[in-house]
Each structure stands twice: as C-alpha cells, then as structure tokens.
Amino acid sequence: MNTRPYIPGDETRIMTIQRYIAQEERMHPGATGEFSTLLRNLALAVKVVSREVRRAGLVDILGKASTSNVSGDEVKKLDVFANDMIINALESGGQLCVMASEENETVIPIPEEFPCGGYAMLFDPLDGSSNIDANVTIGTVFSIFKRVSKGVRGTVEDVVQPGYRQVAAGYIMYGSSTIMVFTTGKGVQGFTLDPTIGAFLLSHPDLTIPKRGNIYSVNEGNRQMWDEGFRRYIDYVQSDDPATGRPYKGRYVGSMIADVHRTILYGGVFAYPGDTKNPEGKLRLLYEANPVAFLVEQAGGRATDGHRRILDIEPTDVHQRTPLLLGSTDDVLIAEEFINGKR
Ligand code: AHG
Ligand code: MN
Ligand code: MN
C-alpha cells in the first residue's frame, strides 16, 4: 500500500485520511464505502472541536465579561460541546446504529428520521478535561464495532462488546498540533491536521512502539493505596541501573491520550492501576482502555490490566472501569511480574 509520508513542502505527496481509507477499502472488494464516510464525518466533527479547543482561552476571557455569548446562550463547557458536536455530525450519516459516550448515562440512539447503519461507536468526547483551563493537551477517543443486534435500531448490545472485536479505534490529540491516530487492525497511522487547508495529512505512517523504553507514567499521588507489587515495580524503575536505562524518567500529563501518545512514540509504560479506594482504577474499559489497547497492540506493544489482556475482557456495562497497564512489551511484562509476585 502507498503510505508515503506527507513531506512539508512536497505538495505532491499529500495523503489525506479520506484517501487513505478509500485506498484501504479498494483493497477489500466487498467494502461499501460506509466506513470511509463514517471516518470523514468524524474528522469533520473533531476539526470543529479542535477549533473550539484553540479558542478556549479566548472564550473564557470573553466569558468573564458576560456569562452568555452573543446569541444569549450560555457558553457550553468544552466537553459538552465536543459531545454534542460528535453526536450531531454522526447521527445523520447512516453509518451508525447506536452510539455511547462518557457524557451520556445510557446509549445514544439514532433518531428515527435517520437511516440506521452497520456500525456502533463509543467515545470519550474530551479526555483530560481537568487540564482544559490550564491550556494543557486534551483529546478525544473513539472505538468502533460492527453491529451485532438484529432489530430495526441498534441496542446496548452493539456497544458492550469485547475489545478484540473492534474494527477501528483511535484518538485525536489537541496538542501543539492536532493529530488523529487510528487503526483498522493493520498497523497504526497518524494524521496531523494542517489548519491551512483543513485536512488531516499522513505524518506518522506505521507507528511502532519501542520494545523497551525509559519513561514511566502514573499518578504517584495514589502510591499509598496501590498494591505492594505495583509499589515495588515503581521502586524498580526508580532504582539506579544504567544497563537497563534506570532510573526511568517520570512523566505524567494527566490526560490519558497525551500520556499514551508519548508512550507510543518514545516507549516505556503508562499505568492507571486499581487501588484500595478504586479497585478497578479510574479509566473506562469501553471508550478509554479498549481503543488505546487496540492501538498499542497494533503498534507492537502490550496492554493488560496486570493479569489479562484488555482486549479479552468481556464487558457487562457501558461505563465499567478497568485497571490499565500499557506500553513497550518488555516494560509491561516486567511490571506484570511484579504485580503477580514473580519478582
Ligand atoms: P476524563 O477527562 O475523560 O474524565 O478522563 C480523565 C482521565 C484520564 O484522561 C487521565 O489519565 C486520568 O483521568 C487522570 O486521573 P488522575 O487525575 O486521577 O491522575
Ligand atoms: Mn477520559
Ligand atoms: Mn472525558
């Protein structure tokens, strides 16, 4: 497949998301184009979210002068805005049969006036929301399944599926630039938004995670509530052993997407373990852990809850949580040995 990277200055080598997906679909004779339309609609929605993220500081300043915007509406919080934007952009396209979002307690049906499609999507519209006001990187995460229910409309059954059945997953990171990283199960591709032409261009073809890294990423404020094994693992990465790159560097943004993106690029380990207060950790299985686990595996890394593969967990609830441990294969294996008392 032609995945020649976008090279700034060489306009003839541009590969947009649409072109990439269309090319992938052409390789599958049965493909209907439904999936590329879905991705195109999602790309449009997140471009608008990206624009709002870029304006957020400004809007806040204006918001202080008056509590409502020009049309008299209350200025929406960014996570509510992102949620509404994604739902509105995708519900009418005809590709989805149902959606689920971190912001909605129950599944989001496709209104009856719109056709019902063959896919179901879960998403976290704004990940890292505690970082918004500090101008720190935030993101959007999505996970896509094929529909399994048989009725006229999609049901909760279509979104509560194990991660290994995902047909696509990805995230959009609103960082120093906006990047969309996604997989359809054939490796991981990263597309950077070129704001001058409003298109996502292939900038990171075939992302692979280093086999071992030297960065650990975890909220150490929870240390006293961790299990003994995980505490000992963190002692291990902090101890001096130049031969294995220790002590590791500590990096924790507090936006999962930013921490996972760095882990994919530089290697190392990202963890949000369970603790005595929250035995299942904090992150949500279906729209946080599953999509990043799919991406990390596709990039050649490993993603588990310390004991089992994230993608093999049989879910029971849209909003259930799971401990999460992911990153470079060698690092995750070592962490698992500590967690399971083998070291
Ligand atoms: P969200 O903003 O969607 O609620 O997710 C926040 C998550 C995730 O982005 C991050 O990894 C984690 O919360 C940080 O939690 P702590 O503040 O407990 O470290
Ligand atoms: Mn989140
Ligand atoms: Mn969120």
Side-chain angles (χ1 to χ4, degrees), residues 102 124 126-129 219 252 254-256 272 282-283 288:
E102 183 191 37
D124 176 356
L126 232 285
D127 174 66
S129 33
N219 181 348
Y252 189 72
S255 290
M256 181 192 70
Y272 207 115
K282 178 180 186 187
L283 300 174
E288 292 181 320

Side-chain angles (χ1 to χ4, degrees), residues 3-7 13-15 202-205:
T3 52
R4 293 186 304 164
Y6 164 64
I7 299 175
R13 286 169 71 107
I14 280 176
M15 171 67 83
L202 183 62
S203 52
H204 295 69

